[in-house]
mmCIF file of all heavy atoms in Angstrom:
data_model
loop_
_atom_site.group_PDB
_atom_site.id
_atom_site.type_symbol
_atom_site.label_atom_id
_atom_site.label_comp_id
_atom_site.label_asym_id
_atom_site.label_seq_id
_atom_site.Cartn_x
_atom_site.Cartn_y
_atom_site.Cartn_z
ATOM 1 N N ALA A 451 -105.405 48.303 177.238
ATOM 2 C CA ALA A 451 -106.260 47.818 176.211
ATOM 3 C C ALA A 451 -107.016 46.627 176.509
ATOM 4 O O ALA A 451 -108.204 46.354 176.165
ATOM 5 C CB ALA A 451 -105.328 47.549 174.962
ATOM 6 N N ALA A 452 -106.391 45.625 177.287
ATOM 7 C CA ALA A 452 -107.015 44.484 177.628
ATOM 8 C C ALA A 452 -108.117 44.667 178.583
ATOM 9 O O ALA A 452 -109.202 43.983 178.508
ATOM 10 C CB ALA A 452 -105.860 43.469 178.353
ATOM 11 N N THR A 453 -108.050 45.746 179.465
ATOM 12 C CA THR A 453 -109.027 46.083 180.323
ATOM 13 C C THR A 453 -110.085 46.640 179.684
ATOM 14 O O THR A 453 -111.357 46.589 179.941
ATOM 15 C CB THR A 453 -108.444 46.990 181.426
ATOM 16 O OG1 THR A 453 -107.411 46.358 182.140
ATOM 17 C CG2 THR A 453 -109.560 47.322 182.530
ATOM 18 N N LEU A 454 -109.840 47.470 178.680
ATOM 19 C CA LEU A 454 -110.914 48.100 177.821
ATOM 20 C C LEU A 454 -111.798 47.196 177.207
ATOM 21 O O LEU A 454 -112.989 47.308 177.122
ATOM 22 C CB LEU A 454 -110.226 49.034 176.728
ATOM 23 C CG LEU A 454 -111.115 49.938 175.995
ATOM 24 C CD1 LEU A 454 -111.803 50.911 176.781
ATOM 25 C CD2 LEU A 454 -110.322 50.693 174.857
ATOM 26 N N ARG A 455 -111.297 45.998 176.694
ATOM 27 C CA ARG A 455 -112.102 45.030 176.136
ATOM 28 C C ARG A 455 -113.042 44.348 177.166
ATOM 29 O O ARG A 455 -114.142 43.830 176.666
ATOM 30 C CB ARG A 455 -111.237 43.786 175.588
ATOM 31 C CG ARG A 455 -110.490 44.054 174.291
ATOM 32 C CD ARG A 455 -109.906 42.947 173.806
ATOM 33 N NE ARG A 455 -108.872 42.238 174.513
ATOM 34 C CZ ARG A 455 -107.526 42.548 174.645
ATOM 35 N NH1 ARG A 455 -107.094 43.598 173.754
ATOM 36 N NH2 ARG A 455 -106.672 42.036 175.309
ATOM 37 N N ASP A 456 -112.918 44.589 178.425
ATOM 38 C CA ASP A 456 -113.771 44.042 179.468
ATOM 39 C C ASP A 456 -114.977 44.940 179.775
ATOM 40 O O ASP A 456 -115.879 44.618 180.497
ATOM 41 C CB ASP A 456 -113.039 43.641 180.786
ATOM 42 C CG ASP A 456 -112.029 42.509 180.634
ATOM 43 O OD1 ASP A 456 -112.250 41.747 179.655
ATOM 44 O OD2 ASP A 456 -111.148 42.454 181.412
ATOM 45 N N MET A 457 -114.963 46.136 179.281
ATOM 46 C CA MET A 457 -115.901 47.117 179.555
ATOM 47 C C MET A 457 -117.230 46.854 178.655
ATOM 48 O O MET A 457 -117.157 46.120 177.723
ATOM 49 C CB MET A 457 -115.412 48.601 179.191
ATOM 50 C CG MET A 457 -114.208 49.002 179.996
ATOM 51 S SD MET A 457 -114.568 49.114 181.839
ATOM 52 C CE MET A 457 -113.673 47.675 182.432
ATOM 53 N N PRO A 458 -118.343 47.439 179.079
ATOM 54 C CA PRO A 458 -119.579 47.105 178.452
ATOM 55 C C PRO A 458 -119.533 47.611 177.033
ATOM 56 O O PRO A 458 -119.060 48.637 176.785
ATOM 57 C CB PRO A 458 -120.617 48.052 179.312
ATOM 58 C CG PRO A 458 -119.942 48.384 180.590
ATOM 59 C CD PRO A 458 -118.581 48.239 180.292
ATOM 60 N N LYS A 459 -119.910 46.607 176.161
ATOM 61 C CA LYS A 459 -120.030 46.823 174.796
ATOM 62 C C LYS A 459 -120.848 48.120 174.258
ATOM 63 O O LYS A 459 -120.234 48.857 173.442
ATOM 64 C CB LYS A 459 -120.706 45.612 174.052
ATOM 65 C CG LYS A 459 -120.630 45.668 172.583
ATOM 66 C CD LYS A 459 -121.184 44.337 171.972
ATOM 67 C CE LYS A 459 -121.167 44.448 170.436
ATOM 68 N NZ LYS A 459 -121.952 43.256 169.818
ATOM 69 N N GLY A 460 -121.739 48.398 174.919
ATOM 70 C CA GLY A 460 -122.638 49.572 174.690
ATOM 71 C C GLY A 460 -121.858 50.870 174.775
ATOM 72 O O GLY A 460 -121.917 51.799 174.065
ATOM 73 N N ALA A 461 -121.016 50.873 175.877
ATOM 74 C CA ALA A 461 -120.211 52.129 176.263
ATOM 75 C C ALA A 461 -119.106 52.186 175.158
ATOM 76 O O ALA A 461 -118.795 53.455 174.877
ATOM 77 C CB ALA A 461 -119.712 51.966 177.505
ATOM 78 N N LEU A 462 -118.589 51.243 174.763
ATOM 79 C CA LEU A 462 -117.451 51.182 173.681
ATOM 80 C C LEU A 462 -118.154 51.679 172.353
ATOM 81 O O LEU A 462 -117.532 52.548 171.680
ATOM 82 C CB LEU A 462 -116.890 49.829 173.499
ATOM 83 C CG LEU A 462 -116.107 49.282 174.698
ATOM 84 C CD1 LEU A 462 -115.594 47.947 174.484
ATOM 85 C CD2 LEU A 462 -114.912 50.187 175.023
ATOM 86 N N GLU A 463 -119.312 51.213 172.050
ATOM 87 C CA GLU A 463 -119.987 51.611 170.748
ATOM 88 C C GLU A 463 -120.418 53.043 170.804
ATOM 89 O O GLU A 463 -120.285 53.798 169.889
ATOM 90 C CB GLU A 463 -121.212 50.707 170.544
ATOM 91 C CG GLU A 463 -120.772 49.313 170.273
ATOM 92 C CD GLU A 463 -121.938 48.261 170.052
ATOM 93 O OE1 GLU A 463 -123.025 48.662 170.744
ATOM 94 O OE2 GLU A 463 -121.786 47.267 169.550
ATOM 95 N N GLU A 464 -120.722 53.522 171.971
ATOM 96 C CA GLU A 464 -121.215 54.935 172.123
ATOM 97 C C GLU A 464 -119.884 55.921 171.880
ATOM 98 O O GLU A 464 -120.146 56.935 171.229
ATOM 99 C CB GLU A 464 -121.702 55.286 173.519
ATOM 100 C CG GLU A 464 -123.048 54.741 173.820
ATOM 101 C CD GLU A 464 -123.492 55.097 175.259
ATOM 102 O OE1 GLU A 464 -122.834 55.799 175.900
ATOM 103 O OE2 GLU A 464 -124.441 54.486 175.660
ATOM 104 N N ARG A 465 -118.818 55.405 172.381
ATOM 105 C CA ARG A 465 -117.729 56.264 172.139
ATOM 106 C C ARG A 465 -117.186 56.336 170.574
ATOM 107 O O ARG A 465 -116.632 57.384 170.185
ATOM 108 C CB ARG A 465 -116.441 55.770 172.870
ATOM 109 C CG ARG A 465 -116.513 55.843 174.391
ATOM 110 C CD ARG A 465 -117.408 56.851 174.959
ATOM 111 N NE ARG A 465 -117.324 57.063 176.502
ATOM 112 C CZ ARG A 465 -117.977 56.374 177.408
ATOM 113 N NH1 ARG A 465 -119.037 55.447 176.999
ATOM 114 N NH2 ARG A 465 -117.826 56.595 178.578
ATOM 115 N N LEU A 466 -117.459 55.191 169.916
ATOM 116 C CA LEU A 466 -117.270 55.292 168.421
ATOM 117 C C LEU A 466 -118.055 56.313 167.765
ATOM 118 O O LEU A 466 -117.627 56.898 166.743
ATOM 119 C CB LEU A 466 -117.565 53.912 167.842
ATOM 120 C CG LEU A 466 -116.476 52.857 168.002
ATOM 121 C CD1 LEU A 466 -116.957 51.464 167.449
ATOM 122 C CD2 LEU A 466 -115.125 53.291 167.271
ATOM 123 N N GLU A 467 -119.181 56.639 168.219
ATOM 124 C CA GLU A 467 -120.084 57.689 167.630
ATOM 125 C C GLU A 467 -119.654 59.189 168.045
ATOM 126 O O GLU A 467 -120.119 59.955 167.322
ATOM 127 C CB GLU A 467 -121.507 57.468 168.074
ATOM 128 C CG GLU A 467 -122.033 56.068 167.855
ATOM 129 C CD GLU A 467 -121.982 55.799 166.323
ATOM 130 O OE1 GLU A 467 -122.312 56.663 165.364
ATOM 131 O OE2 GLU A 467 -121.633 54.674 165.988
ATOM 132 N N GLU A 468 -118.914 59.293 168.987
ATOM 133 C CA GLU A 468 -118.411 60.692 169.408
ATOM 134 C C GLU A 468 -117.592 61.319 168.202
ATOM 135 O O GLU A 468 -116.872 60.563 167.618
ATOM 136 C CB GLU A 468 -117.572 60.643 170.643
ATOM 137 C CG GLU A 468 -118.192 60.109 171.840
ATOM 138 C CD GLU A 468 -119.291 61.195 172.452
ATOM 139 O OE1 GLU A 468 -119.031 62.371 172.199
ATOM 140 O OE2 GLU A 468 -120.282 60.803 173.018
ATOM 141 N N GLU A 469 -117.789 62.553 168.159
ATOM 142 C CA GLU A 469 -117.108 63.291 167.064
ATOM 143 C C GLU A 469 -115.870 64.234 167.513
ATOM 144 O O GLU A 469 -115.068 64.707 166.702
ATOM 145 C CB GLU A 469 -118.092 64.245 166.339
ATOM 146 C CG GLU A 469 -119.097 63.468 165.675
ATOM 147 C CD GLU A 469 -118.628 62.566 164.508
ATOM 148 O OE1 GLU A 469 -117.648 62.952 163.807
ATOM 149 O OE2 GLU A 469 -119.241 61.484 164.368
ATOM 150 N N GLY A 470 -115.690 64.341 168.806
ATOM 151 C CA GLY A 470 -114.452 65.144 169.227
ATOM 152 C C GLY A 470 -113.204 64.650 168.778
ATOM 153 O O GLY A 470 -112.971 63.590 168.408
ATOM 154 N N ARG A 471 -112.116 65.569 168.751
ATOM 155 C CA ARG A 471 -110.879 65.284 168.231
ATOM 156 C C ARG A 471 -110.111 64.069 169.072
ATOM 157 O O ARG A 471 -109.587 63.259 168.516
ATOM 158 C CB ARG A 471 -110.095 66.514 168.405
ATOM 159 C CG ARG A 471 -108.694 66.437 167.605
ATOM 160 C CD ARG A 471 -108.065 67.734 167.429
ATOM 161 N NE ARG A 471 -107.555 68.269 168.567
ATOM 162 C CZ ARG A 471 -106.835 69.385 168.750
ATOM 163 N NH1 ARG A 471 -106.449 70.048 167.671
ATOM 164 N NH2 ARG A 471 -106.463 69.666 169.919
ATOM 165 N N PHE A 472 -110.358 64.049 170.295
ATOM 166 C CA PHE A 472 -109.856 62.980 171.115
ATOM 167 C C PHE A 472 -110.425 61.642 170.716
ATOM 168 O O PHE A 472 -109.741 60.647 170.459
ATOM 169 C CB PHE A 472 -110.060 63.168 172.586
ATOM 170 C CG PHE A 472 -109.726 62.086 173.423
ATOM 171 C CD1 PHE A 472 -108.399 61.752 173.685
ATOM 172 C CD2 PHE A 472 -110.636 61.173 174.041
ATOM 173 C CE1 PHE A 472 -107.948 60.578 174.512
ATOM 174 C CE2 PHE A 472 -110.347 60.110 174.932
ATOM 175 C CZ PHE A 472 -109.002 59.812 174.990
ATOM 176 N N TYR A 473 -111.767 61.577 170.501
ATOM 177 C CA TYR A 473 -112.313 60.486 170.127
ATOM 178 C C TYR A 473 -111.969 59.817 168.805
ATOM 179 O O TYR A 473 -111.917 58.683 168.473
ATOM 180 C CB TYR A 473 -113.921 60.399 170.288
ATOM 181 C CG TYR A 473 -114.381 60.560 171.755
ATOM 182 C CD1 TYR A 473 -114.722 61.721 172.325
ATOM 183 C CD2 TYR A 473 -114.175 59.335 172.550
ATOM 184 C CE1 TYR A 473 -115.001 61.727 173.627
ATOM 185 C CE2 TYR A 473 -114.652 59.321 173.841
ATOM 186 C CZ TYR A 473 -115.093 60.562 174.473
ATOM 187 O OH TYR A 473 -115.456 60.597 175.717
ATOM 188 N N THR A 474 -111.686 60.739 167.827
ATOM 189 C CA THR A 474 -111.246 60.552 166.508
ATOM 190 C C THR A 474 -109.983 59.750 166.662
ATOM 191 O O THR A 474 -109.666 58.937 165.949
ATOM 192 C CB THR A 474 -111.203 61.746 165.650
ATOM 193 O OG1 THR A 474 -112.431 62.367 165.541
ATOM 194 C CG2 THR A 474 -110.683 61.332 164.180
ATOM 195 N N PHE A 475 -109.035 60.311 167.440
ATOM 196 C CA PHE A 475 -107.793 59.639 167.741
ATOM 197 C C PHE A 475 -107.816 58.235 168.318
ATOM 198 O O PHE A 475 -107.096 57.387 167.961
ATOM 199 C CB PHE A 475 -106.947 60.581 168.594
ATOM 200 C CG PHE A 475 -105.501 60.100 168.816
ATOM 201 C CD1 PHE A 475 -104.654 60.189 167.911
ATOM 202 C CD2 PHE A 475 -105.122 59.473 169.973
ATOM 203 C CE1 PHE A 475 -103.264 59.841 168.109
ATOM 204 C CE2 PHE A 475 -103.997 58.969 170.208
ATOM 205 C CZ PHE A 475 -102.961 59.205 169.254
ATOM 206 N N VAL A 476 -108.722 57.985 169.237
ATOM 207 C CA VAL A 476 -108.869 56.726 169.925
ATOM 208 C C VAL A 476 -109.809 55.770 169.240
ATOM 209 O O VAL A 476 -109.803 54.626 169.794
ATOM 210 C CB VAL A 476 -109.232 56.860 171.390
ATOM 211 C CG1 VAL A 476 -108.171 57.706 172.228
ATOM 212 C CG2 VAL A 476 -110.625 57.498 171.636
ATOM 213 N N LYS A 477 -110.448 56.085 168.163
ATOM 214 C CA LYS A 477 -111.272 55.155 167.556
ATOM 215 C C LYS A 477 -110.630 53.741 167.238
ATOM 216 O O LYS A 477 -111.285 52.691 167.300
ATOM 217 C CB LYS A 477 -111.970 55.856 166.325
ATOM 218 C CG LYS A 477 -113.186 56.645 166.814
ATOM 219 C CD LYS A 477 -113.799 57.099 165.685
ATOM 220 C CE LYS A 477 -115.137 58.085 166.101
ATOM 221 N NZ LYS A 477 -115.840 58.735 165.207
ATOM 222 N N PRO A 478 -109.304 53.718 166.703
ATOM 223 C CA PRO A 478 -108.709 52.430 166.482
ATOM 224 C C PRO A 478 -108.636 51.564 167.706
ATOM 225 O O PRO A 478 -108.892 50.360 167.584
ATOM 226 C CB PRO A 478 -107.228 52.827 165.948
ATOM 227 C CG PRO A 478 -107.505 54.233 165.366
ATOM 228 C CD PRO A 478 -108.638 54.954 166.277
ATOM 229 N N GLN A 479 -108.427 52.027 168.844
ATOM 230 C CA GLN A 479 -108.315 51.325 170.089
ATOM 231 C C GLN A 479 -109.727 50.819 170.477
ATOM 232 O O GLN A 479 -109.884 49.682 170.932
ATOM 233 C CB GLN A 479 -107.799 52.178 171.235
ATOM 234 C CG GLN A 479 -106.289 52.377 171.010
ATOM 235 C CD GLN A 479 -106.039 53.736 170.415
ATOM 236 O OE1 GLN A 479 -106.814 54.367 169.674
ATOM 237 N NE2 GLN A 479 -104.928 54.350 170.797
ATOM 238 N N LEU A 480 -110.760 51.659 170.194
ATOM 239 C CA LEU A 480 -112.066 51.173 170.546
ATOM 240 C C LEU A 480 -112.485 50.168 169.579
ATOM 241 O O LEU A 480 -113.028 49.090 170.087
ATOM 242 C CB LEU A 480 -113.076 52.345 170.382
ATOM 243 C CG LEU A 480 -112.946 53.434 171.402
ATOM 244 C CD1 LEU A 480 -113.744 54.632 170.889
ATOM 245 C CD2 LEU A 480 -113.684 52.944 172.677
ATOM 246 N N ARG A 481 -112.131 50.131 168.381
ATOM 247 C CA ARG A 481 -112.532 49.119 167.371
ATOM 248 C C ARG A 481 -111.743 47.900 167.694
ATOM 249 O O ARG A 481 -112.376 46.813 167.611
ATOM 250 C CB ARG A 481 -112.072 49.543 165.916
ATOM 251 C CG ARG A 481 -112.985 50.634 165.439
ATOM 252 C CD ARG A 481 -112.841 50.804 163.990
ATOM 253 N NE ARG A 481 -113.722 51.968 163.435
ATOM 254 C CZ ARG A 481 -113.167 53.279 163.197
ATOM 255 N NH1 ARG A 481 -111.842 53.433 163.405
ATOM 256 N NH2 ARG A 481 -114.017 54.234 162.791
ATOM 257 N N LYS A 482 -110.578 47.910 168.124
ATOM 258 C CA LYS A 482 -109.752 46.712 168.552
ATOM 259 C C LYS A 482 -110.485 46.111 169.735
ATOM 260 O O LYS A 482 -110.524 44.834 169.900
ATOM 261 C CB LYS A 482 -108.402 47.092 168.888
ATOM 262 C CG LYS A 482 -107.437 47.244 167.763
ATOM 263 C CD LYS A 482 -105.975 47.605 168.199
ATOM 264 C CE LYS A 482 -105.182 47.905 167.139
ATOM 265 N NZ LYS A 482 -103.736 48.255 167.501
ATOM 266 N N ALA A 483 -110.861 46.908 170.708
ATOM 267 C CA ALA A 483 -111.422 46.450 172.074
ATOM 268 C C ALA A 483 -112.877 45.744 171.646
ATOM 269 O O ALA A 483 -113.143 44.697 172.228
ATOM 270 C CB ALA A 483 -111.840 47.542 172.924
ATOM 271 N N LEU A 484 -113.558 46.228 170.676
ATOM 272 C CA LEU A 484 -114.856 45.548 170.289
ATOM 273 C C LEU A 484 -114.500 44.286 169.580
ATOM 274 O O LEU A 484 -115.245 43.215 169.738
ATOM 275 C CB LEU A 484 -115.692 46.459 169.508
ATOM 276 C CG LEU A 484 -116.409 47.566 170.218
ATOM 277 C CD1 LEU A 484 -116.846 48.708 169.311
ATOM 278 C CD2 LEU A 484 -117.568 47.005 171.022
#
């Protein structure tokens, strides 16, 4: 999670837009990272 926060902001935001089942599951982690 700490490493995810260091990734490019645009890449994290793109994953929030994904609709697949996996991305739905990980959206809370993405929001925390942002």
Side-chain angles (χ1 to χ4, degrees):
T453 304
L454 189 63
R455 284 192 296 271
D456 294 337
M457 295 301 110
K459 183 178 179 181
L462 297 173
E463 291 171 338
E464 284 176 16
R465 296 332 188 270
L466 279 174
E467 302 301 319
E468 294 288 337
E469 295 298 326
R471 196 163 68 171
F472 173 73
Y473 289 105
T474 301
F475 182 79
V476 298
K477 282 184 182 183
Q479 289 95 335
L480 286 166
R481 288 187 186 104
K482 283 182 189 177
L484 283 165

